[in-house]
Amino acid sequence: MAAPRPLPVRLSGVVMAAAIQDLEALRALTAVFKEQRNRDTAPRTIFQRVLDILKKSSQAVELACRDPSQVGQLASSLQLITECFRCLRNACIECCVNQNSIRNMDTIGVAVDLILLFRELQEEQESLLTAFRCGLQFLGNIASRNEDSQSVVWLHAFPELFLSCLNHPDKKIVAYSSMILFTSLNSSRIKELEENLNIAINVIEAHQKHPESEWPFLVITDHFLKSPELVQAMYAKMSNQERITLLDVMVAKVMAVEPLARDEVPVFLSHAQLLASTFLDQCRVVLKLTEEHAEDEEAQVTIRLLDVLCEMTANSDLLGYLQIYPGLLEGVVDLLRLIHVAGLGSMSIFSACGYIKAEDSMSNMAEGFKSHLIRLIGNMCYKNKDNQDK
């Protein structure tokens, strides 16, 4: 590989000049490592030199954490840190040899410690945020398709890094930390999340705040929804708005063009049990919906539960289980009857008088809920004579 300018040894009394030369050399390396052939032939000594610069530059951040008045003096150090992370990030792209070399120098531990220092500073200046983001990108790249690196990243990052970054005000930091979580999670680590539910709930909040970001969504669909135990534990602890967000993701998963995989069906049967039980327990809360209380969050959750059950019963792999779920059909029919009775009053959003006075959104909510109840009844009676007779 065409070697960039050698990283110079620091000369006494020439710290600033050396830092500038380091920065130029790091930028050259970052550019060189965009090419696969250069990544494949990179000598290990380069990564050791980059790590030395990273450690040296980190000392200024440590000082700023102890003495906030020093934050304004971080500019040159942050430039070097950013370029170190960019260089290491690029070196890890589709190159297991570099991932292993960099990991074996304990670079992951240094990077995680530095990222936690960034969070401790609680500064939002762009140069610090850029270094923060590049550090997370490096961790994501070194862990990509490398189980040994994933284990080391998890060892150093869990739980502090995720607790610090998933609720960060910067959406890129939230996305990159979600990427690291997505890359590092496996079935055994999911069980660790059951003991650190705040991390899982932070991912739900991240998707709620940043629905355009794919990483929180993928963490939920490809990891969380594969664990009925985690979903049940999360559901019990979440706010109503967070439950609505989770249920929306479930609907999207069930309605996806790609059908549920064979190993996903038993998992979603467990989800169906949780949702059917929860719906029966709280479904009557919708009866208290009036013009003045149309935004009741518990009622909104019930409406979304019904949406998910409708889509689940439209799925042939899940229909049979829900058709025989104890009390579900009877509960839905009974609720439809109670809504009809409530509609005879003047205050309920289900009343004909209420439709005339209510906004279109409330009228649509009432009509939509009733139509979904009827749809669920129809699905549960599909080719099922016992339910038809009931």
Side-chain angles (χ1 to χ4, degrees):
M1 123 183 162
R5 179 187 307 171
L7 296 173
V9 176
R10 293 186 185 276
L11 301 176
S12 176
V14 202
V15 175
M16 184 57 70
I20 292 172
Q21 290 178 345
D22 283 349
L23 185 61
E24 291 174 349
L26 285 166
R27 284 173 175 164
L29 278 174
T30 299
V32 163
F33 286 147
K34 290 181 179 179
E35 297 290 335
Q36 183 68 50
R37 60 189 176 85
N38 293 334
R39 296 195 290 270
D40 292 340
T41 56
R44 176 187 172 93
T45 52
I46 285 182
F47 303 130
Q48 184 61 58
R49 182 69 179 113
V50 174
L51 178 58
D52 290 343
I53 297 173
L54 185 64
K55 288 180 176 178
K56 182 72 173 177
S57 303
S58 300
Q59 294 173 6
V61 181
E62 294 176 11
L63 178 60
C65 285
R66 294 194 298 268
D67 180 5
S69 67
Q70 297 297 313
V71 172
Q73 310 301 316
L74 285 177
S76 61
S77 295
L78 288 175
Q79 280 187 313
L80 284 168
I81 290 169
T82 298
E83 213 56 53
C84 284
F85 280 143
R86 283 176 175 153
C87 175
L88 296 170
R89 174 198 68 191
N90 287 6
C92 289
I93 298 172
E94 296 182 359
C95 189
C96 183
V97 173
N98 288 352
Q99 288 175 321
N100 294 341
S101 294
I102 294 168
R103 180 190 69 242
N104 292 337
M105 296 174 184
D106 194 33
T107 312
I108 291 173
V110 173
V112 170
D113 289 344
L114 186 50
I115 288 168
L116 292 175
L117 289 176
F118 289 155
R119 191 63 171 117
E120 188 177 331
L121 285 174
Q122 295 185 338
E123 289 285 327
E124 295 187 20
Q125 62 187 39
E126 191 59 31
S127 58
L128 191 146
L129 289 176
T130 300
F132 201 149
R133 296 165 190 155
C134 288
L136 292 172
Q137 287 178 320
F138 158 63
L139 291 177
N141 281 11
I142 199 171
S144 178
R145 301 177 184 177
N146 189 311
E147 291 186 6
D148 290 335
S149 291
Q150 290 165 15
S151 297
V152 177
V153 168
W154 187 261
L155 177 66
H156 287 281
F158 184 84
E160 286 82 6
L161 183 139
F162 300 115
L163 289 170
S164 296
C165 298
L166 287 169
N167 59 3
H168 196 280
D170 182 78
K171 67 179 182 181
K172 289 184 179 179
I173 287 174
V174 173
Y176 297 152
S177 56
S178 299
M179 171 186 66
I180 297 168
L181 185 61
F182 175 85
T183 302
S184 303
L185 275 173
N186 58 26
S187 56
S188 63
R189 292 171 193 145
I190 279 287
K191 294 190 180 300
E192 294 184 57
L193 282 185
E194 293 176 31
E195 300 173 5
N196 290 271
L197 286 176
N198 285 341
I199 293 175
I201 293 173
N202 283 347
V203 175
I204 302 296
E205 292 176 352
H207 177 59
Q208 183 181 337
K209 293 176 183 176
H210 311 290
E212 74 287 351
S213 178
E214 66 174 342
W215 289 112
F217 179 80
L218 289 173
V219 172
I220 300 168
T221 57
D222 291 18
H223 290 294
F224 292 0
L225 292 186
K226 291 184 177 180
S227 172
E229 297 81 10
L230 177 62
V231 168
Q232 184 170 356
M234 288 168 58
Y235 196 90
K237 192 174 179 181
M238 288 191 297
S239 69
N240 285 321
Q241 282 300 319
E242 291 158 357
R243 288 170 178 165
I244 289 171
T245 300
L246 177 62
L247 293 171
D248 284 343
V249 176
M250 281 192 178
V251 167
K253 179 70 175 176
V254 174
M255 293 180 65
V257 175
E258 186 176 339
L260 294 176
R262 182 177 299 179
D263 61 340
E264 290 179 316
V265 172
V267 175
F268 269 79
L269 289 176
S270 295
H271 296 329
Q273 179 181 7
L274 170 66
L275 301 187
S277 171
T278 304
F279 180 77
L280 288 175
D281 286 343
Q282 67 181 59
C283 64
R284 294 193 179 193
V285 73
V286 299
L287 297 172
K288 67 181 182 182
L289 283 174
T290 63
E291 290 182 61
E292 290 77 17
H293 300 94
E295 300 301 320
D296 183 276
E297 287 189 353
E298 191 175 3
Q300 295 295 329
V301 172
T302 303
I303 291 170
R304 200 67 94 253
L305 282 167
L306 178 59
D307 293 342
V308 184
L309 290 172
C310 281
E311 297 305 332
M312 284 184 163
T313 52
N315 184 298
S316 59
D317 291 320
L318 308 177
L319 173 61
Y321 176 81
L322 287 168
Q323 283 180 318
I324 61 173
Y325 187 84
L328 182 57
L329 177 62
E330 294 85 349
V332 174
V333 171
D334 190 44
L335 180 60
L336 185 61
R337 184 183 301 114
L338 291 172
I339 284 176
H340 175 71
V341 172
L344 300 177
S346 60
M347 296 300 294
S348 171
I349 67 166
F350 297 106
S351 69
C353 180
Y355 294 158
I356 297 172
K357 295 186 295 182
E359 297 289 337
D360 286 344
S361 60
M362 280 188 282
S363 176
N364 291 339
M365 182 197 304
E367 284 295 295
F369 189 77
K370 289 202 293 185
S371 67
H372 277 202
L373 284 175
I374 294 168
R375 180 189 176 197
L376 182 56
I377 293 169
N379 288 350
M380 294 187 70
C381 290
Y382 178 70
K383 293 184 178 180
N384 187 304
K385 189 175 185 304
D386 289 342
N387 283 353
Q388 293 168 7
D389 290 344
K390 291 178 185 178

